[in-house]
Amino acid sequence: MMTQSDLDLKETALKEDLKFYFMNPCEKYRARRQIPWKLALQILKILMVTTQLVFFGLSNQLVVSFKEENIVAFKHLFLKGYSGADEDDYSCSIYTQQDAYDSIFYVINQYRHLKNISLGTLGYEHEESGLKICKQQYKRSTMLPSNDTLNIDVSTETECILLKPKELTGKKAELKLNSSFFNLEFYRLIQVEISFKLKGIALQTIHARELPDCYAFQNTITFNNRAHSGKIKIYFDSDTDIQECKDWHIFNSVLQRNTQYILIFDGFVILSCLASLILCTRSIVLAWRLQKRFVSFFLEKYKRRVCYADRLEFLNGWYVLVIISDVMTIIGSILKMEIKAKNLTSYDVCSILLGTSTLFVWVGVIRYLGYFQTYNVLILTMQASLPKVLRFCCCAGMIYLGYTFCGWIVLGPYHEKFEDLNTVAECLFSLVNGDDMFATFAEIQQKSSLVWMFSRLYLYSFISLFIYMILSLFIALITDSYDTIKKYQQSGFPATDLHEFLKDHSSAGYRKDRTSFPFICCCRRQQSDDNLILIN
């Protein structure tokens, strides 16, 4: 059995370790001269990660602009009568059989003379590839609308033809273009799909002192006649694939040197994140060991277990956030280095990793602001209101889903913002925020007076319910949590077992030496604030 003196010594040592663990970096330096390496490293990492993201964003911006400008150029090159702006979710539309034939042969003719008419660095994929045209139609169909007669086999058949670049320049081209394949029976035609692949090289990256990329554009033009409404919608779709240039020679050493400098900088970013990852993981492990010491001692002395809330005080969520950020930054930096060296082209994956990690890094700054009482209100309010807000959102979400399904099924045929569930949800969310209210009311078609009256009742009830009641209650929940936190800051937070355990322990031994830290730790809190700071 442990004697009372040994137990007292153990308790004193444990209280000192607990006090030291829950100190901020400045207090730890004053107490034991422990330099806040994690704080300095986080500040350095913020600067480096943000700089890295800016460089990658500028490079990615060139990629995005090259893709978008090429898609616009393709639409002007291959779509006859393209106005420069899409009509809806499709590019343009035609209404006569002659327009359909003219549009199809216009694509073929433009593809044939691509090298002579294109302003960009475009070329065919290879000589064996070409223009693939497929038509899908019903097997048999007989229609007499005047007699309300219909005889149709709903099974479909698909025919395809391949027009190679060499064939389009020879005498065989006229034979293929005059074949029976191009005799379209519009009453049973479902769609005509024209697909072709083009290659291009982005030279604008050279002006930004970067190595150029090679692109492959898989273009598809679809003449959609599924509705058989007298209107054929023309869709243009382009899938862009960034590829490594197989053989390139650039006679300027500036580009290679610039690439090497950026790769070295990315290497330093990886090293700083790796050091931060090791330090934060070490802190979590030490906190877990300290928690085990406290739980076992509390059970031994007071014969009862520590509550779950006190155990969570040892789990520093900011360290977990930093670890996740570091892992994402390391993976994203490796991908960025491979992209910079033209070994990979995963721009989207790299953007998600670097963007999310930078978000977490900047959010992590709040942890250090939270050491000061005036900046800690946001964190405490979010922490206190989150459970109530989540429960409230679950209840409000049920009403929101009900309005979404109701608006889709009733107003869908009469309003473009209610055509599908995703659009309805976005439209209602905009109404909650006060956007496009008049346009939503005005664009409803008045073909059915019953539906028009229902739309007014539907919109007025939704706006009144969500803006005046649900949104106000949502704000009230957060305001109530804020008032509670302000009251606790004035009268003191509710004491837990961990607070009571540390309350009697004096930290005077840590405050004898008041030598200021040469950097950020020169700013000191007032003694009156010590009892107001939450433990973690």
Side-chain angles (χ1 to χ4, degrees):
M1 294 293 293
M2 184 178 295
T3 63
Q4 185 63 35
S5 59
D6 293 338
L7 189 63
D8 292 340
L9 290 175
K10 185 178 180 181
E11 180 179 358
T12 303
L14 178 59
K15 286 184 176 181
E16 290 182 355
D17 290 342
L18 288 173
K19 269 287 187 181
F20 183 78
Y21 173 74
F22 289 113
M23 287 179 178
N24 64 43
C26 299
E27 292 173 335
K28 289 181 178 179
Y29 175 77
R30 299 191 193 109
R32 297 182 182 178
R33 280 294 184 267
Q34 177 174 307
I35 299 177
W37 295 111
K38 289 195 292 293
L39 174 60
L41 189 58
Q42 294 305 317
I43 296 175
L44 176 64
K45 194 179 70 173
I46 287 175
L47 298 176
M48 297 182 69
V49 169
T50 305
T51 304
Q52 180 193 47
L53 185 73
V54 171
F55 285 151
F56 181 75
L58 295 175
S59 176
N60 196 26
Q61 188 176 2
L62 297 177
V63 175
V64 173
S65 64
F66 185 77
K67 290 180 182 179
E68 293 179 348
E69 291 174 5
N70 271 275
I71 291 175
V72 173
F74 291 150
K75 290 181 178 179
H76 282 279
L77 280 174
F78 297 105
L79 300 183
K80 185 178 181 180
Y82 181 65
S83 62
D86 292 349
E87 295 185 10
D88 196 357
D89 58 337
Y90 52 92
S91 299
C92 55
S93 56
I94 52 179
Y95 299 91
T96 65
Q97 296 184 12
Q98 188 60 43
D99 288 341
Y101 285 115
D102 291 343
S103 298
I104 293 173
F105 287 110
Y106 181 80
V107 176
I108 299 174
N109 188 57
Q110 292 293 96
Y111 181 80
R112 178 194 301 177
H113 301 99
L114 178 65
K115 293 183 179 180
N116 298 325
I117 61 176
S118 174
L119 297 175
T121 57
L122 296 174
Y124 305 120
E125 182 184 18
H126 50 77
E127 294 300 328
E128 294 301 320
S129 67
L131 200 69
K132 184 179 180 182
I133 306 175
C134 296
K135 64 177 182 179
Q136 184 183 18
Q137 56 190 5
Y138 297 113
K139 283 189 176 181
R140 294 190 309 274
S141 177
T142 303
M143 297 183 188
L144 294 173
S146 58
N147 296 333
D148 297 330
T149 304
L150 172 65
N151 182 17
I152 186 172
D153 183 358
V154 294
S155 58
T156 61
E157 60 182 5
T158 303
E159 297 181 52
C160 296
I161 187 174
L162 181 63
L163 302 176
K164 299 180 181 180
K166 287 184 177 180
E167 296 176 347
L168 291 175
T169 57
K171 295 181 179 180
K172 293 183 179 180
E174 298 299 327
L175 295 176
K176 282 198 171 186
L177 296 179
N178 292 325
S179 64
S180 59
F181 176 84
F182 292 98
N183 293 329
L184 304 178
E185 297 175 331
F186 290 93
Y187 61 90
R188 66 190 187 101
L189 178 68
I190 299 175
Q191 70 176 24
V192 176
E193 185 176 281
I194 304 176
S195 59
F196 55 94
K197 195 170 186 178
L198 299 176
K199 291 291 192 72
I201 300 176
L203 296 179
Q204 64 176 345
T205 55
I206 295 179
H207 300 288
R209 295 186 176 183
E210 294 186 13
L211 299 176
D213 290 319
C214 293
Y215 291 77
F217 300 95
Q218 180 62 49
N219 301 316
T220 304
I221 302 174
T222 304
F223 295 80
N224 192 331
N225 192 40
R226 293 181 180 274
H228 287 86
S229 60
K231 175 182 179 179
I232 296 181
K233 300 177 182 178
I234 302 178
Y235 295 85
F236 184 91
D237 182 63
S238 181
D239 293 329
T240 307
D241 183 26
I242 306 175
Q243 301 175 345
E244 179 185 358
C245 295
K246 297 180 180 178
D247 186 18
W248 50 270
H249 301 280
I250 300 176
F251 302 99
N252 190 345
S253 60
V254 176
L255 297 180
Q256 282 84 349
R257 287 202 303 269
N258 185 67
T259 302
Q260 292 174 358
Y261 294 152
I262 295 180
L263 292 177
I264 293 174
F265 178 77
D266 292 336
F268 279 114
V269 173
I270 293 176
L271 291 178
S272 65
C273 291
L274 190 60
S276 173
L277 177 65
I278 294 173
L279 290 176
C280 291
T281 305
R282 173 180 172 272
S283 297
I284 291 179
V285 173
L286 293 177
W288 179 71
R289 292 178 179 175
L290 186 61
Q291 183 210 55
K292 290 185 63 177
R293 285 178 57 195
F294 174 68
V295 170
S296 61
F297 178 83
F298 202 83
L299 182 63
E300 179 182 359
K301 182 175 181 179
Y302 299 101
K303 308 303 179 184
R304 59 190 178 93
R305 296 185 179 275
V306 178
C307 66
Y308 183 70
D310 280 344
R311 293 188 181 189
L312 283 181
E313 292 285 356
F314 292 89
L315 178 60
N316 196 321
W318 297 111
Y319 288 155
V320 177
L321 186 68
V322 171
I323 290 174
I324 296 174
S325 172
D326 289 336
V327 172
M328 297 182 73
T329 303
I330 291 173
I331 299 175
S333 299
I334 294 174
L335 289 178
K336 181 178 178 293
M337 295 174 70
E338 292 294 320
I339 291 173
K340 199 68 180 177
K342 304 305 175 186
N343 297 325
L344 287 178
T345 57
S346 305
Y347 277 91
D348 293 337
V349 178
C350 185
S351 299
I352 293 174
L353 290 173
L354 292 182
T356 308
S357 64
T358 306
L359 169 64
F360 289 164
V361 166
W362 280 98
V363 170
V365 178
I366 301 177
R367 171 178 182 260
Y368 299 103
L369 295 178
Y371 289 130
F372 304 96
Q373 194 65 30
T374 53
Y375 296 99
N376 204 25
V377 178
L378 174 62
I379 305 172
L380 298 179
T381 304
M382 292 175 60
Q383 182 180 356
S385 62
L386 184 61
K388 294 183 289 185
V389 167
L390 291 178
R391 289 192 295 267
F392 182 80
C393 288
C394 290
C395 298
M398 302 302 171
I399 305 175
Y400 190 86
L401 286 175
Y403 270 92
T404 301
F405 286 112
C406 179
W408 171 56
I409 197 66
V410 178
L411 303 181
Y414 301 94
H415 201 298
E416 64 177 4
K417 292 184 178 180
F418 292 84
E419 290 180 350
D420 57 77
L421 283 173
N422 184 46
T423 308
V424 176
E426 293 173 353
C427 176
L428 294 181
F429 188 78
S430 299
L431 289 177
V432 172
N433 291 277
D435 297 335
D436 292 335
M437 281 194 180
F438 178 77
T440 305
F441 276 96
E443 291 178 7
I444 187 71
Q445 299 178 13
Q446 300 186 17
K447 294 181 179 180
S448 173
S449 58
L450 180 62
V451 174
W452 185 86
M453 293 177 62
F454 178 84
S455 69
R456 264 46 193 171
L457 178 62
Y458 172 85
L459 292 174
Y460 279 122
S461 63
F462 176 82
I463 292 172
S464 301
L465 179 63
F466 271 83
I467 292 182
Y468 302 132
M469 184 178 296
I470 294 180
L471 194 59
S472 298
L473 288 174
F474 183 83
I475 297 173
L477 289 175
I478 300 176
T479 305
D480 180 65
S481 299
Y482 175 77
D483 292 338
T484 304
I485 295 301
K486 294 295 290 183
K487 186 186 301 182
Y488 284 161
Q489 286 182 330
Q490 295 174 0
S491 60
F493 288 90
T496 63
D497 291 337
L498 184 58
H499 289 80
E500 295 292 341
F501 183 75
L502 295 176
K503 183 181 294 184
D504 299 331
H505 182 70
S506 174
S507 59
Y510 290 142
R511 301 187 179 274
K512 292 179 180 179
D513 193 355
R514 286 288 186 175
T515 305
S516 61
F517 189 67
F519 301 109
I520 191 173
C521 290
C522 61
C523 54
R524 298 183 181 134
R525 292 184 290 105
Q526 298 294 327
Q527 288 287 342
S528 58
D529 291 341
D530 290 342
N531 294 328
L532 301 179
I533 301 290
L534 279 184
I535 285 184
N536 198 351

